[in-house]
Amino acid sequence: MPPPSNACLKLSVLLVSSAHKLSGPQPMKPAQASEDAIYQSLREAILTRKLAPGTRLREIPLGKILGASRGAVRKALDRLAFEGLVEQEANRGASVAQPTVQDAEDLFTARKSIEVAIARIAAQNLTPQSVRKLEKHIARERAAQEKSDWAKVVALSGEFHILIAEIAGNAPLRRYLNDLVVRESLIIQMFGTRQQDVCTRNEHAEILAALQSGDPDLIARRIEEHIDGIAAGVNLNPRAADPRTLEEILLG
């Protein structure tokens, strides 16, 4: 069979080019949200009290809402379950964790023991720079209080204690405290408080003053009083569920 002539080849190129022009450019598939983006979005929604304890987190609806694959959603939920923010049950799927009253009591007891040790170490490592950092953080807390932004107040309150752990420089203790602070945020979210000023007293400034004094007994007393105050303010009646849909909560 003789090879195609140059004319035939040119005709083929023209036909292919014309077909491409008629069909137009192929639409690009939208980029899917990453596992980390889903994890951060859900974690923030839980810790800022947007997603209430017990809220069902189904993989397929979440994937559609967040524009992600089911596999990415599943991995993000696994990470949240590892942190204790999500509970996973066979044949039922995932939901925001629901701490019990006993969980709350155990957590506050553990926090006092760990945080006293952290604060005493931090006092030995305190520098003018770290003092300024804590003072600026307290100022941010007061600004949130003035705006009655209670979700932000709770988040900043937890961050204050993490900052003290960073100053202490003990990595294992910092990990333990971070885990407890995360779980405490969930407990406060679930049970609410009897009084909104449970996190708004001047106790963080008093803790900073105790750290600056270097007195281990005063440090322990300030930390224990602070945590006992938070525990006393927890209302053991669960908060009412948010009536909005999952899509409205995550994208609203």
Side-chain angles (χ1 to χ4, degrees):
M1 184 174 178
S5 66
N6 289 337
C8 290
L9 288 172
K10 290 179 180 178
L11 179 59
S12 298
V13 171
L14 287 170
L15 288 172
V16 170
S17 177
S18 298
H20 178 74
K21 288 178 180 178
L22 287 172
S23 62
Q26 295 299 312
M28 294 179 65
K29 291 183 179 179
Q32 291 191 325
S34 67
E35 169 202 333
D36 192 60
I38 300 162
Y39 162 79
Q40 294 293 347
S41 178
L42 291 175
R43 190 176 190 275
E44 181 182 359
I46 293 170
L47 295 182
T48 56
R49 312 170 80 164
K50 292 178 182 176
L51 286 176
T55 301
R56 295 289 299 278
L57 301 171
R58 296 182 177 88
E59 293 174 5
I60 293 176
L62 278 174
K64 291 179 179 178
I65 292 168
L66 299 174
S69 68
R70 187 173 182 179
V73 172
R74 186 181 300 116
K75 289 179 180 178
L77 292 174
D78 287 343
R79 289 172 64 181
L80 292 166
F82 181 77
E83 288 188 343
L85 293 177
V86 163
E87 294 173 348
Q88 293 174 316
E89 297 180 47
N91 303 320
R92 194 171 184 274
S95 59
V96 178
Q98 299 187 78
T100 65
V101 172
Q102 187 62 52
D103 290 335
E105 293 174 352
D106 291 346
L107 181 144
F108 290 122
T109 299
R111 232 194 107 174
K112 278 196 291 186
S113 299
I114 290 174
E115 196 154 354
V116 166
I118 287 173
R120 283 173 168 169
I121 297 170
Q124 298 171 8
N125 298 339
L126 213 59
T127 65
Q129 291 79 10
S130 57
V131 169
R132 283 196 294 272
K133 190 171 185 179
L134 291 171
E135 287 173 340
K136 287 180 180 178
H137 193 88
I138 291 170
R140 290 176 62 202
E141 291 181 20
R142 287 172 177 161
Q145 293 163 16
E146 290 170 2
K147 294 178 181 177
S148 298
D149 189 344
W150 305 117
K152 190 170 183 179
V153 168
V154 171
L156 288 171
S157 177
E159 289 174 14
F160 174 81
H161 296 274
I162 298 301
L163 285 175
I164 293 176
E166 289 175 358
I167 294 167
N170 186 302
L173 285 176
R174 183 175 62 186
R175 285 196 297 271
Y176 295 144
L177 180 63
N178 185 70
D179 179 66
L180 291 173
V181 168
V182 167
R183 292 168 189 263
E184 181 188 283
S185 296
L186 190 66
I187 285 170
I188 291 174
Q189 190 231 74
M190 179 173 180
F191 294 111
T193 58
R194 294 195 187 100
Q195 50 190 29
Q196 281 190 313
D197 66 348
V198 73
C199 292
T200 64
R201 296 187 293 266
N202 201 39
E203 292 176 1
H204 283 176
E206 293 172 354
I207 289 172
L208 175 55
L211 292 175
Q212 290 176 287
S213 77
D215 182 341
D217 292 334
L218 179 60
I219 291 168
R221 188 160 64 251
R222 289 289 181 259
I223 292 290
E224 289 172 354
E225 288 172 352
H226 179 61
I227 295 173
D228 284 342
I230 296 172
V234 170
N235 183 352
L236 298 183
N237 296 310
R239 296 164 61 89
D242 193 318
R244 295 177 298 168
T245 67
L246 191 60
E247 184 171 8
E248 288 171 336
I249 291 171
L250 292 175
L251 301 182

